[in-house]
Amino acid sequence: AQSVTQLDSQVPVFEEAPVELRCNYSSSVSVYLFWYVQYPNQGLQLLLKYLSGSTLVESINGFEAEFNKSQTSFHLRKPSVHISDTAEYFCAVSYTGRRALTFGSGTRLQVQP
Amino acid sequence: GAVVSQHPSRVICKSGTSVKIECRSLDFQATTMFWYRQFPKQSLMLMATSNEGSKATYEQGVEKDKFLINHASLTLSTLTVTSAHPEDSSFYICSARSSGPQETQYFGPGTRLLVL
């Protein structure tokens, strides 16, 4: 079965520290990869996506993720986090032939002052 | 970016009543919309895929007669929770898929349903 694994349910980090949120997916020939962010009591907002081309993708607010086909990973990183980055982050995958997204279990990023 | 709206944002109803949730793509046409359900502190679980002009495709374990989906136009899909019970209380989120080579799903803000 197709699956997405986010190993860390919670990641506490101090403000201005770097952070990495891990995401691994079950192998497939072709995938689209996404990171979504969810603030409390809100819907999901697209943070960044990988569809093709360069394996390193960036968002406008300093996050980046790298598609690693050999390790079937799409880890999210930010070199310096802010308090406002505190939220739930979901990794999602769209597999070939299936247009719906398969979500990971989410990682709660808690940025502390 | 593309905007997807949901209405209502929050609804409280009595057990046994039906609740309709609307999902609209505001600035693009969506031939496909998806309905997800999210329990507290959990991930999103796909309930069904809504295709404009045809019957929805439900995921295994989702009762199609309980969760009625209608996708009558390219910008509107509705989810009706029929004869709601307390265990149906959840956060319901829709998404709309943009067309073209850079297809991406855009999510609505969600509807929180509380069944008393």
Side-chain angles (χ1 to χ4, degrees):
Chain A
Q2 299 156 346
S3 65
V4 180
T5 302
Q6 290 181 248
L7 290 172
D8 306 303
S9 60
Q10 290 190 70
V11 173
V13 63
F14 288 107
E15 194 173 19
E16 298 184 3
V19 71
E20 178 180 82
L21 307 183
R22 295 179 291 172
C23 173
N24 289 87
Y25 60 94
S26 55
S27 181
S28 179
V29 176
S30 179
V31 296
Y32 297 149
L33 297 157
F34 305 84
W35 275 99
Y36 285 88
V37 57
Q38 185 180 35
Y39 298 100
N41 298 311
Q42 295 186 29
L44 274 70
Q45 300 175 30
L46 179 65
L47 191 59
L48 47 75
K49 62 185 177 183
Y50 169 79
L51 301 179
S52 64
S54 173
T55 57
L56 184 65
V57 291
E58 299 175 350
S59 71
I60 59 174
N61 56 353
F63 283 94
E64 65 177 30
E66 185 164 17
F67 168 54
N68 188 319
K69 188 173 182 179
S70 62
Q71 297 186 6
T72 60
S73 68
F74 191 55
H75 301 330
L76 181 69
R77 302 184 184 94
K78 188 170 185 179
S80 176
V81 295
H82 301 288
I83 295 286
S84 59
D85 292 325
T86 294
E88 190 86 20
Y89 291 81
F90 291 97
C91 179
V93 176
S94 174
Y95 289 91
T96 301
R98 179 174 169 81
R99 289 173 167 171
L101 293 174
T102 300
F103 282 87
S105 54
T107 297
R108 173 119 182 105
L109 176 63
Q110 296 173 298
V111 182
Q112 303 164 357
Chain B
V3 178
V4 176
S5 70
Q6 275 184 248
H7 178 80
S9 59
R10 179 185 291 265
V11 58
I12 301 174
C13 68
K14 293 182 179 180
S15 184
T17 61
S18 294
V19 175
K20 179 185 283 189
I21 304 170
E22 294 185 348
C23 176
R24 293 180 186 273
S25 57
L26 298 185
D27 50 3
F28 67 101
Q29 293 184 333
T31 55
T32 304
M33 290 184 174
F34 303 92
W35 287 96
Y36 295 85
R37 183 173 180 177
Q38 185 181 31
F39 290 104
K41 300 187 185 301
Q42 294 187 30
S43 188
L44 280 74
M45 299 300 295
L46 179 67
M47 297 175 66
T49 301
S50 171
N51 299 296
E52 187 268 336
S54 64
K55 291 183 178 180
T57 304
Y58 290 82
E59 294 299 297
Q60 190 173 12
V62 178
E63 298 177 57
K64 62 180 181 181
D65 294 330
K66 181 168 184 62
F67 298 100
L68 300 178
I69 291 173
N70 184 282
H71 193 158
S73 77
L74 288 171
T75 59
L76 173 65
S77 175
T78 60
L79 168 68
T80 300
V81 184
T82 62
S83 186
H85 292 285
E87 58 266 30
D88 298 324
S89 299
S90 190
F91 195 46
Y92 292 87
I93 304 175
C94 75
S95 71
R97 189 180 69 89
S98 63
S99 59
Q102 297 294 312
E103 63 172 66
T104 300
Q105 285 189 37
Y106 296 94
F107 285 80
T111 297
R112 188 162 299 283
L113 171 63
L114 177 61
V115 185
L116 302 177

